[in-house]
Amino acid sequence: FSTGLYVLVGAGALMATVGCFGCCGAARESQCLLGAFFTCLLVIFAAEVTAGVFAFIGKRVAIQEAQKIYEDIYDDYMKNPGGKVNRTIYHYHVALQCCGKDNMEQQMGLPCPENIQLPKASSCLVEIHNVIDANLHLVGIVGIAIAGITIFGMIFSMVLCCVIRSTRDMI
């Protein structure tokens, strides 16, 4: 959990720095800062494209990892039903509308949501596969939208840089 938090804080600090380059470059009409802003956006764009390609290529691996995480939580719950894992596995079941890994005999002791019927409830491993498979296109759409905004920012930074250069050449 803390590693993810550090990554998010680092990404936020990076984005604040990039935004500062863009704002200061535009306010001071500095070609150097606007060039740094463009370069940062170009690197971010390349990282977005790379992450998107790896996300679509590694979909099977992502599904396997998510299923492994559930299996580990499930096994921990089976070893110690009253432990901290109880709430975690319950939240998995509520979010995915499923209960258990495979057979019904093992599911009788699991904390399952009240609003699903056990005979009709599917395996959580199947539901994890279905959710990732169904929603990965949404991640792709959001990635493409963010990449488009990044391209938009790169275009405007270069246009502003060229306008500043041409304005200074006139004077």
Side-chain angles (χ1 to χ4, degrees), residues 29-124:
E29 295 182 359
S30 169
Q31 291 178 328
C32 181
L33 286 175
L34 286 171
F37 178 69
F38 176 83
T39 304
C40 289
L41 285 181
L42 185 63
V43 168
I44 290 170
F45 177 73
E48 288 170 354
V49 170
T50 304
V53 167
F54 282 130
F56 283 114
I57 290 174
K59 179 172 75 167
R60 189 181 79 246
V61 174
I63 291 170
Q64 289 171 348
E65 285 297 317
Q67 289 174 336
K68 184 182 179 314
I69 290 170
Y70 178 77
E71 287 176 341
D72 291 344
I73 292 171
Y74 181 86
D75 293 340
D76 287 345
Y77 177 79
M78 286 302 179
K79 290 176 188 172
N80 185 12
K84 293 181 181 178
V85 186
N86 191 6
R87 287 188 58 202
T88 304
I89 201 163
Y90 179 75
H91 288 297
Y92 260 98
H93 293 161
V94 169
L96 296 172
Q97 288 296 300
C98 63
C99 191
K101 276 192 337 187
D102 296 319
N103 55 9
M104 290 296 176
E105 291 81 26
Q106 290 179 336
Q107 295 176 17
M108 292 306 163
L110 287 174
C112 297
E114 298 83 23
N115 59 350
I116 64 169
Q117 298 172 355
L118 280 178
K120 292 184 180 180
S122 63
S123 164
C124 286

Side-chain angles (χ1 to χ4, degrees), residues 38 41-42 45 149-159:
F38 176 83
L41 285 181
L42 185 63
F45 177 73
I149 292 170
T150 305
I151 290 172
F152 194 64
M154 288 190 301
I155 291 170
F156 275 114
S157 68
M158 280 297 103
V159 167

Side-chain angles (χ1 to χ4, degrees), residues 56 127-141:
F56 283 114
E127 286 301 316
I128 288 170
H129 181 275
N130 293 342
V131 165
I132 292 175
D133 200 32
N135 293 323
L136 194 61
H137 70 281
L138 293 175
V139 173
I141 291 170

